[in-house]
Amino acid sequence: MIRKQDALDYHSHGRRGKVEVVPSKPCQTQRDLSLVYTPGVAEPCREIAERPDDAYLYTAKGNLVAVVSNGTAVLGLGDIGPLAGKPVMEGKGVLFKRFADIDVFDIEVNTHDPQEVINVVRLLEPTFGGINLEDIKAPECFLIEEELKKVMNIPVFHDDQHGTAIISGAALLNALEITGKSIRDAKVVFSGAGAAGIACAHHYEKLGVRRENMMLVDTKGVVYQGRKAGMNPYKEYFAVDTGARTLADAMKGADVFCGVSAKDIVTREMVRSMADRPIVMAMANPDPEITYEEATAARDDIIMATGRSDYPNQVNNVLGFPFIFRGALDVRASAINDEMKIAATMALANLTKEDVPDSVIRAYGRKRIEFGREYIIPKPFDPRVLWWEATAVAKAAMESGVARSPIKNFEAYRDSLEARLGKSREVMRFFIHRAQQRPKRIVFPEGEEEKILRAASIVLEENIAKPILLGSRSLIAQRIKELGLELEGAEVINPSKSPHHDAYVTAYYDLRQRKGRTRYDAERDMKTHNIFGMMMVREGEADGLISGLTQHYPNTVRPALQIIGRKDDVSIIAGLYMMVFKNQTVFIADATVNIDPTAEELAEIAILAARKVRQLDIDPAVAMLSFSNFGSTRHPFTEKVRKAVSIVKQREPQLMVDGEMMADTAVAPEIMEEFFPFSTLTKPANVLICPDLTSANIAYKLLGKLGGATAIGPILMGIRKPVYLLAPGVEVADIVNMTAMAVVEAQQQSDSSGLKTVAREEPFEIHHN
């Protein structure tokens, strides 16, 4: 429960409020100043004056939404005025930015006159790409939105009406599917006939609920034909010929209750009077029409939803407005029409049936989440809502004729949406697309594990790889069924029953017989899934291997060295981490294998890292790090790095590499400028070679936790064929990403001439990460 003081402190501590304006262009020099303002700013002004649509090219208009309110219906607080409602509008802006990367100015209008609101908003059209009306009371809100949609050529959307309707509509569709009821026959009672209630009824009608099966109830009772008190044209549309007069009357035999009214107005008896398998959406905030505990105690066959996050099935408007506007803005829609609203509902309903990412499961208490009575609507923090819903809305805008800038490539559009959530998603989409061109066979020794099975399902669905799962066929089949996954096309192999088992034992024995392994040992070792998987890769039955979810690094690295072996031109292996920041990607080595490398080993780590980075279509700029800048401190530690730099330059003269240098020198151009006369590193380094495992491990973990970077890895370098390590606790999405990277590496290897594998084993140490 949020305490009053907690809320006040949240808003008042540090920078006041919740929003700020951050420039998107640099303003550090006199030249920058001349571009950001006069005289340079005159040029885009001239272009826009000649071609008004160029405002979308030269200004932020296309990604800017106004959140407009007069404060007459603020949350459950009522008419508290525009100034008191400002924290809500700022919060709305935060949600737009957090969930869909849309910029917002909140505008509070000090008037109760609907026509004045209309006039103010209409005059704002040159500034904004869209208008989100917020917390304006009914029935004025209906008139304001209707009039603005007539006179404005940008999307106007009253979220209090349509947001609840769109999201609860998705919950309704899924709940009806679970209960086996037809939407055409469903009887629906609406408690509340204000903005949200009327909009829900209209939207449900478009989804398939028949008007004669709907009943609206407000503070005066049932909205029936002939009623005079508290009526308006919007309610009149839904007036029915009925003898029911109270909410209790209306709920008798109803299939669905849609509550957008007030707390504690529904009793257990009312819920018991509903039809079999009732659906109750009690969405009054912050307290529902009936509590979750009361409703579920009244009926054990109920599907219950609320607006609260502490119970299952939260109907939260944040699942709607950010993504609806994202799709509308991206096609420069002139309006948000019914087709777009229905598309948003269908996207949410369909997404609910997909496998839920680990990041979402972790955010909601690590309890398994799957489509069913307690999961009929996606969770607000599910990142996939962005590209599912925005894409559906954009397509509907195009198909309904309101899109002025149609999207030509929806796959690229989806990638751009993922990139808005962070550069790491953009980077990984690169690998996924490359992998999809020529999927390879990737073996998963831990094939019985839930996360592996879920990842394999995604890999198959997106055509990233051809997964091979090692384990008991019956157990894997059972778990696939329990998880509700589709894994048709995955190969399942029980190593002990494989027709290759005996041949692998013989080959493994021949390989290891003079290295401490007897025939008996070989037969016993082959029961180990990692050993069997490595033999599959060695013998060409698989193109790569991914393992480590349930074991330490050495249990994967050691058999990889013993069976697959190092590449012919390398003497050590090493681990590389890709650190993805918002605006750049940096690589760090070696944080995995070599605890205290010699100068020669450090040089080889740098060369391996540079080669790997080139494979990713990135031009490497390598900095060899120490606590000294180019000889400023003499010490055996710095001398080791200096010697390593010399070796790298001899072996790879075309590589941009320099050192020894401090970490800030490597990445800060203003510091590096002091050394430009002699340094060969002419741009900020993107490959950072640390002098030992301790510093590398500390660096990548601090960058991840304090620097906000996403760590992808470790990527094992120097092994002849792709072997990728998983850390215990890794998420399903990370396994999918590593699979894509393994496939890309396998593609590159198949494109080059392959030499026979020579398994060479030398003493080594492996850091357990």
Side-chain angles (χ1 to χ4, degrees):
M1 190 68 176
I2 299 296
R3 295 167 52 247
K4 175 181 177 180
Q5 194 58 47
D6 292 338
L8 295 177
D9 290 347
Y10 178 85
H11 286 78
S12 64
H13 284 183
R15 193 181 190 99
R16 303 294 192 258
K18 300 190 287 284
V19 294
E20 63 177 327
V21 175
V22 178
S24 62
K25 299 294 186 293
C27 188
Q28 305 293 331
T29 65
Q30 182 60 43
R31 185 174 186 276
D32 292 341
L33 185 59
S34 297
L35 289 169
V36 77
Y37 203 55
T38 184
V41 74
E43 298 306 325
C45 291
R46 293 188 182 102
E47 297 294 310
I48 295 169
E50 186 175 338
R51 293 177 299 277
D53 277 358
D54 279 2
Y56 288 92
L57 177 62
Y58 296 117
T59 77
K61 175 182 173 74
N63 196 54
L64 188 61
V65 167
V67 172
V68 181
S69 177
N70 65 355
T72 53
V74 180
L75 297 178
L77 304 174
D79 185 355
I80 61 173
L83 183 59
K86 184 174 174 61
V88 176
M89 308 314 135
E90 286 190 359
K92 199 83 170 186
V94 171
L95 299 180
F96 265 110
K97 188 65 178 179
R98 163 63 179 80
F99 288 99
D101 193 29
I102 293 173
D103 300 316
V104 165
F105 288 142
D106 59 290
I107 297 174
E108 291 74 35
V109 183
N110 192 17
T111 181
H112 282 71
D113 184 344
Q115 192 57 51
E116 287 188 344
V117 176
I118 292 168
N119 291 339
V120 168
V121 176
R122 180 174 58 82
L123 294 173
L124 294 173
E125 183 165 349
T127 302
F128 296 97
I131 304 293
N132 183 98
L133 300 173
E134 192 74 19
D135 290 350
I136 301 172
K137 72 183 180 72
E140 290 89 338
C141 62
F142 301 121
L143 172 65
I144 291 170
E145 186 187 44
E146 287 171 0
E147 291 302 311
L148 287 174
K149 289 172 76 171
K150 291 177 186 176
V151 300
M152 299 188 77
N153 203 31
I154 57 175
V156 177
F157 183 83
H158 185 206
D159 181 50
D160 300 300
Q161 291 183 58
H162 310 298
T164 303
I166 289 165
I167 296 147
S168 66
L172 172 69
L173 292 177
N174 282 336
L176 288 172
E177 179 180 331
I178 292 166
T179 57
K181 294 184 178 184
S182 165
I183 194 167
R184 295 282 298 168
D185 299 328
K187 295 180 179 179
V188 184
V189 173
F190 298 88
S191 175
I198 295 288
C200 284
H202 277 295
H203 191 64
Y204 288 12
E205 185 179 18
K206 293 179 177 68
L207 292 176
V209 178
R210 291 185 293 181
R211 200 193 320 174
E212 58 266 31
N213 285 343
M214 300 186 200
M215 200 175 294
L216 262 66
V217 183
D218 62 9
T219 55
K220 307 290 185 184
V222 173
V223 175
Y224 59 89
Q225 291 178 359
R227 197 183 97 171
K228 302 298 182 185
M231 293 296 286
N232 59 48
Y234 306 102
K235 294 181 185 178
E236 193 67 51
Y237 178 84
F238 290 103
V240 292
D241 183 8
T242 179
R245 293 295 182 265
T246 67
L247 179 60
D249 294 340
M251 289 183 67
K252 291 176 182 176
D255 297 291
V256 181
F257 171 82
C258 175
V260 282
S261 51
K263 72 171 184 175
D264 297 338
I265 64 171
V266 174
T267 66
R268 290 193 187 192
E269 288 69 27
M270 292 180 189
V271 173
R272 291 192 186 106
S273 75
M274 295 177 72
D276 291 342
R277 306 182 305 282
I279 299 163
V280 173
M281 294 185 286
M283 299 176 287
N285 257 325
D287 299 304
E289 288 80 359
I290 182 172
T291 66
Y292 181 83
E293 291 84 359
E294 288 280 307
T296 53
R299 298 286 292 264
D300 59 9
D301 60 346
I302 193 172
I303 292 182
M304 176 73 175
T306 70
R308 297 176 60 114
S309 61
D310 48 352
Y311 295 112
N313 301 323
Q314 182 190 16
V315 178
N316 190 318
N317 280 23
V318 78
L319 284 168
F321 65 85
F323 316 109
I324 294 166
F325 269 98
R326 180 76 274 157
L329 292 174
D330 289 340
V331 294
R332 284 175 49 194
S334 58
I336 294 173
N337 57 27
D338 289 336
E339 291 86 349
M340 296 159 74
K341 297 170 193 172
I342 291 171
T345 290
M346 299 306 297
L348 289 170
N350 292 332
L351 175 58
T352 314
K353 300 166 190 174
E354 297 289 313
D355 186 50
V356 180
D358 287 338
S359 60
V360 178
I361 294 172
R362 188 173 62 247
Y364 290 90
R366 299 184 182 274
K367 182 181 177 182
R368 183 175 166 189
I369 302 172
E370 60 183 346
F371 181 64
R373 307 180 79 85
E374 293 192 347
Y375 181 60
I376 59 173
I377 192 75
K379 299 291 188 181
F381 282 99
D382 190 331
R384 302 169 302 168
V385 176
L386 173 57
W387 54 89
W388 275 69
E389 191 172 353
T391 299
V393 169
K395 284 181 178 177
M398 291 166 56
E399 292 167 359
S400 61
V402 297
R404 291 171 293 182
S405 180
I407 292 168
K408 295 184 174 119
N409 184 334
F410 271 97
E411 187 171 319
Y413 177 57
R414 176 204 156 114
D415 293 347
S416 72
L417 292 173
E418 286 205 49
R420 288 183 181 277
L421 296 180
K423 193 170 180 66
S424 62
R425 293 181 178 273
E426 180 183 6
V427 169
M428 290 318 306
R429 291 307 298 179
F430 163 81
F431 288 107
I432 287 171
H433 287 320
R434 286 274 295 270
Q436 288 169 334
Q437 294 172 13
R438 281 184 297 147
K440 295 291 184 178
R441 301 162 300 173
I442 304 299
V443 61
F444 296 88
E446 298 154 310
E448 298 171 353
E449 294 297 317
E450 176 182 328
K451 288 185 177 181
I452 298 296
L453 292 172
R454 290 168 56 202
S457 177
I458 296 170
V459 163
L460 279 168
E461 182 180 348
E462 295 206 26
N463 196 35
I464 295 170
K466 301 172 184 177
I468 303 170
L469 306 170
L470 301 188
S472 162
R473 284 178 175 274
S474 59
L475 181 56
I476 289 175
Q478 177 186 337
R479 290 188 174 169
I480 290 172
K481 183 177 180 181
E482 290 172 353
L483 295 169
L485 300 176
E486 177 57 58
L487 278 165
E488 184 177 352
E491 185 178 357
V492 179
I493 296 176
N494 186 332
S496 63
K497 297 181 180 179
S498 167
H500 297 291
H501 178 270
D502 292 344
Y504 283 179
V505 169
T506 299
Y508 177 68
Y509 173 63
D510 291 343
L511 186 67
R512 306 294 301 164
Q513 62 184 332
R514 290 187 177 273
K515 296 179 181 177
R517 309 312 286 167
T518 65
R519 176 78 188 196
Y520 173 79
D521 293 331
E523 291 176 352
R524 184 181 58 187
D525 291 348
M526 203 52 59
K527 295 177 183 177
T528 305
H529 291 183
N530 257 353
I531 300 290
F532 189 91
M534 298 292 178
M535 288 300 300
M536 289 188 70
V537 176
R538 175 185 171 86
E539 298 300 319
E541 299 295 330
D543 301 300
L545 178 143
I546 295 178
S547 185
L549 184 66
T550 61
Q551 53 202 314
H552 299 321
Y553 286 170
N555 294 331
T556 301
V557 176
R558 186 171 287 110
L561 277 173
Q562 294 171 345
I563 297 170
I564 298 174
R566 291 187 293 270
K567 295 179 179 178
D568 288 335
D569 59 345
V570 304
S571 59
I572 63 169
I573 64 169
L576 180 72
Y577 275 91
M578 180 162 58
M579 308 300 297
V580 184
F581 296 86
K582 182 177 181 180
N583 296 314
Q584 64 177 327
T585 300
V586 174
F587 298 84
I588 293 179
D590 168 21
T592 309
V593 179
N594 301 282
I595 294 177
D596 187 16
T598 64
E600 291 75 14
E601 291 170 336
L602 202 59
E604 185 151 11
I605 291 169
I607 292 169
L608 288 172
R611 290 176 182 173
K612 177 61 68 176
V613 170
R614 280 198 198 99
Q615 290 177 357
L616 308 181
D617 288 345
I618 298 173
D619 188 24
V622 183
M624 310 283 281
L625 303 183
S626 186
F627 57 85
S628 168
N629 276 327
F630 305 103
S632 63
T633 301
R634 295 289 182 178
H635 187 277
F637 290 169
T638 61
E639 289 301 318
K640 178 181 78 169
V641 180
R642 283 169 61 85
K643 183 179 177 182
V645 173
S646 177
I647 295 170
V648 174
K649 289 184 174 182
Q650 286 178 343
R651 290 181 54 184
E652 299 279 341
Q654 303 304 315
L655 178 62
M656 185 185 292
V657 58
D658 214 340
E660 88 291 5
M661 69 179 72
M662 297 182 187
D664 56 347
T665 303
V667 298
E670 64 273 17
I671 301 177
M672 181 57 77
E673 283 178 1
E674 302 175 20
F675 307 102
F676 275 172
F678 60 84
S679 176
T680 56
L681 197 64
T682 58
K683 63 180 181 180
N686 55 13
V687 180
L688 306 178
I689 306 301
C690 297
D692 53 33
L693 188 145
T694 299
S695 56
N697 193 269
I698 291 171
Y700 101 80
K701 288 187 174 179
L702 283 178
L703 288 174
K705 294 299 183 183
L706 301 182
T710 299
I712 299 174
I715 303 167
L716 203 57
M717 304 181 296
I719 293 290
R720 179 173 290 274
K721 293 187 178 182
V723 174
Y724 280 70
L725 307 178
L726 301 176
V730 70
E731 295 185 2
V732 170
D734 297 319
I735 301 173
V736 173
N737 292 339
M738 297 292 264
T739 303
M741 295 176 75
V743 169
V744 171
E745 184 177 339
Q747 291 171 346
Q748 293 166 339
Q749 290 191 356
S750 67
D751 290 339
S752 61
S753 57
L755 300 176
K756 180 173 170 56
T757 298
V758 178
R760 296 176 297 159
E761 180 185 4
E762 294 177 14
F764 67 98
E765 295 179 276
I766 301 173
H767 169 67
H768 171 55
N769 194 341

